[in-house]
Amino acid sequence: MKPLATAAASVTLALLTFFQFPGHTWLQQDSQIYVPILEHLRDPSVLRNDILVQHPHVAFTLYDETTLALSAVSGAGFREVLAAQQIATRALGIWGLLLMAESLGLAFGPALLVAAICSLGALIPGPAVLTFEYEPTPRAFAVPLVVCAIGLAAQRRHLAAGIAAAAAFLYHPPTALPFWGVYFVFALWPSAERRARLAAWVPLAAAVAVLGVAAHAQSASGEAQRVFARLDGGQEFLQRMRTAYVWISAWPAATIAHHALMLAVLVAAFVRIRQAVGLPLRVLLLGLGALGALTMPLSWLLLEQFHWGLVPQVQPMRALLFLTLGMQFLVAAAGARAVVARRPAEAAAWLACAYLLPLQPLLTGPIVWSRFGLGLALAALTALAGIRWAPVVAVAAFFAIPVLGGVVNYPSLHTPDLAQLSAWARANTERDAVFVFPGAGRSLAPGIFRSDAQRAVYVDWKGGGQVNYLKDLGEQWWSRWRQTCDFQPADLPQYAASGIDYVVLLAPLPRAAQFQNSSYVVYQLK
């Protein structure tokens, strides 16, 4: 493959995934947690009364140090710096896909076809993660770096693979650990390349040392995470209520069947093209796929039977994303090889499996026939186009899936009224003011307000997603949530006694308001 063409394709597809499909979001999911922590780390006087920054959980990642440093050096805001990291790591991950496809003996055209189809992304039912994360979170950066490492290892560039996987470890250790576990087996595999494979561990050793120093420096910044503790009854209740996706017993049977189907299709695709799959890719793809499947019974045993408190923090079942990604890659590769060999029927069958994932995330659930038909149509068009035009069809899928398939990966939550409320609060209230949104329920609006207004929020539903990390945070969040989830005007004196300065409601009360627009009404309590 020509380096310039490979780089151009990687960057172009990364930009396409960012701006078109699957897309990107800001302050709509986990960035609602990380951005306030970053703001507080940069300026400890910001949001110091907010429950989230009082219980940070970024000690074991360089995500915060890297983002703070890039922002300081460039002068750009967190949104711009995080978006740049998101695009850059996506480009590296797509480069990894191209390297993986090239290791199968595919030329640039069919390799580009494989990379483009895999770049359409996929939702992983159950653990609720994605192969291409929308939010600029640590996992969003670590996953494509792991894919890059797999591609480099497939090309037998083991030191470079170690650097990429070590960078993933620095961003998000739980995401990188499955790769390193499988790579450990691969490194010890009897071969003349064993010494070269062992060189990959040098970057990891350096990454562990750096992360250890960073974690020690932040050890006093929040509650210590209990590694060997067992969950008590209260913690289990709270986690099952708020973070049920961590507990496999809460998953529908169709979700478990879906992952079993992913494993079966992955094995079938591997068997079809096994002669082209070299040892590195064979061990890594099959190993990660098998490990992802094994995390389901392993999580059930360690969490639901032994109640080990580390499991909800690490969330091992997120490794199922490597099972899905491995399946999508192998069926796309099998389809590309069939297109090259001019076997359109076979190509369409394999490619349909890959195209359906971004259209129908749960293949064992109810079928949306219009989307199912679009997946089959894209597969047939790709197979019939021939290898010269097949990548063009794959690129067209980035537009066809949201337009013709009606796939909306995320809602639009940033409204003019919410922006107006945030601007008013930032300009007209004390920096230490505490707000509460008792009528918001599970809405994500309070989390957007927290970062845009840079004002503390007493409690919100999204912030409760951290109950699986820190016991004290969970207890405090649950107490506040029960206090405010069923609002009555008579509760206002109690709110004031709890340190709340402003109440944001969706309907007016018979009293003077400090701010009001068509969506929100704000009342001052102190």
Side-chain angles (χ1 to χ4, degrees), residues 275-294:
Q275 294 179 344
V277 184
L279 180 62
L281 199 57
R282 181 175 301 198
V283 173
L284 290 172
L285 286 185
L286 294 183
L288 284 169
L291 182 61
L294 286 172

Side-chain angles (χ1 to χ4, degrees), residues 39-214:
E39 293 282 4
H40 182 71
L41 288 173
R42 181 168 61 181
D43 182 355
S45 68
V46 173
L47 295 170
R48 59 186 173 186
N49 290 330
D50 196 281
I51 186 175
L52 290 184
V53 306
Q54 293 169 354
H55 300 271
H57 66 292
V58 294
F60 295 98
T61 170
L62 286 194
Y63 171 86
D64 50 328
E65 289 89 349
T66 302
T67 302
L68 288 166
L70 290 174
S71 180
V73 170
S74 66
F78 288 138
R79 182 171 188 173
E80 292 75 24
V81 165
L82 289 169
Q85 292 178 79
Q86 194 171 10
I87 293 171
T89 52
R90 282 191 185 185
L92 289 171
I94 293 167
W95 179 42
L97 292 170
L98 287 168
L99 292 174
M100 291 162 62
E102 184 188 26
S103 74
L104 301 177
L106 295 175
F108 179 74
L112 180 60
L113 170 63
V114 173
I117 293 175
C118 293
S119 297
L120 291 167
L123 170 67
I124 317 303
V129 292
L130 302 140
T131 57
F132 279 75
E133 293 280 350
Y134 313 140
E135 294 268 286
T137 60
R139 186 172 62 254
F141 303 160
V143 170
L145 288 170
V146 169
V147 176
C148 181
I150 296 172
L152 289 165
Q155 295 289 332
R156 292 177 165 79
R157 297 161 65 175
H158 299 292
L159 180 59
I163 293 172
F169 181 83
L170 289 173
Y171 268 120
H172 197 237
T175 295
L177 284 175
F179 170 87
W180 284 110
V182 174
Y183 194 87
F184 176 77
V185 175
F186 175 59
L188 298 180
W189 202 281
S191 171
E193 293 183 352
R194 181 187 295 183
R195 182 172 297 180
R197 295 173 192 163
L198 293 175
W201 294 91
V202 175
L204 178 63
V208 170
V210 170
L211 202 58
V213 172

Side-chain angles (χ1 to χ4, degrees), residues 187-480:
L188 298 180
W189 202 281
S191 171
E193 293 183 352
R194 181 187 295 183
R195 182 172 297 180
R197 295 173 192 163
L198 293 175
W201 294 91
V202 175
L204 178 63
V208 170
V210 170
L211 202 58
V213 172
H216 179 73
Q218 293 189 33
S219 59
S221 64
E223 175 190 352
Q225 291 169 291
R226 300 174 174 91
V227 174
F228 298 105
R230 288 168 59 90
L231 298 179
D232 58 35
Q235 286 178 283
E236 179 174 347
F237 162 78
L238 190 56
Q239 291 186 18
R240 282 184 176 274
M241 183 275 297
R242 181 57 188 84
T243 57
Y245 51 83
V246 179
W247 300 76
I248 192 171
S249 61
W251 292 9
T255 299
I256 299 174
H258 169 88
H259 295 299
L261 177 61
M262 293 295 99
L263 182 61
V265 176
L266 179 148
V267 171
F270 167 74
V271 170
R272 183 67 182 93
I273 63 172
R274 64 187 181 279
Q275 294 179 344
V277 184
L279 180 62
L281 199 57
R282 181 175 301 198
V283 173
L284 290 172
L285 286 185
L286 294 183
L288 284 169
L291 182 61
L294 286 172
T295 60
M296 293 190 289
L298 185 65
S299 181
W300 175 84
L301 179 66
L302 295 179
L303 176 58
E304 307 203 21
Q305 303 305 309
F306 294 161
H307 303 285
W308 188 11
L310 182 64
V311 176
Q313 300 176 38
V314 176
Q315 298 184 41
M317 289 189 292
R318 286 175 170 173
L320 284 165
L321 74 87
F322 294 114
L323 169 60
T324 298
L325 182 59
M327 173 270 195
Q328 192 176 35
F329 173 81
L330 286 174
V331 296
R337 287 173 61 86
V339 172
V340 172
R342 298 182 180 179
R343 298 192 297 268
E346 179 189 349
W350 288 118
L351 293 172
C353 297
Y355 276 123
L356 284 173
L357 286 177
L359 285 158
Q360 183 82 25
L362 187 65
L363 295 181
T364 53
I367 296 176
V368 180
W369 289 107
S370 59
R371 295 180 180 179
F372 190 83
L374 177 59
L376 296 181
L378 287 170
L381 286 172
T382 306
L384 294 172
I387 199 54
R388 181 176 180 181
W389 296 104
V392 177
V393 178
V395 170
F398 286 87
F399 301 88
I401 289 175
V403 174
L404 301 180
V407 176
V408 179
N409 285 330
Y410 42 83
S412 179
L413 301 180
H414 296 262
T415 66
D417 281 354
L418 182 56
Q420 187 182 34
L421 169 65
S422 301
W424 171 84
R426 190 163 183 168
N428 295 280
T429 65
E430 296 293 329
R431 176 176 267 196
D432 288 338
V434 178
F435 286 71
V436 71
F437 291 68
R442 300 188 179 188
S443 167
L444 295 172
I448 297 174
F449 169 86
R450 175 189 283 116
S451 290
D452 285 350
Q454 293 197 356
R455 295 296 181 267
V457 173
Y458 185 68
V459 68
D460 67 317
W461 177 257
K462 182 59 186 177
Q466 308 310 295
V467 301
N468 53 319
Y469 290 102
L470 304 169
K471 183 176 186 292
D472 293 346
L473 169 62
E475 293 172 349
Q476 188 177 0
W477 176 86
W478 180 232
S479 174
R480 293 186 176 191

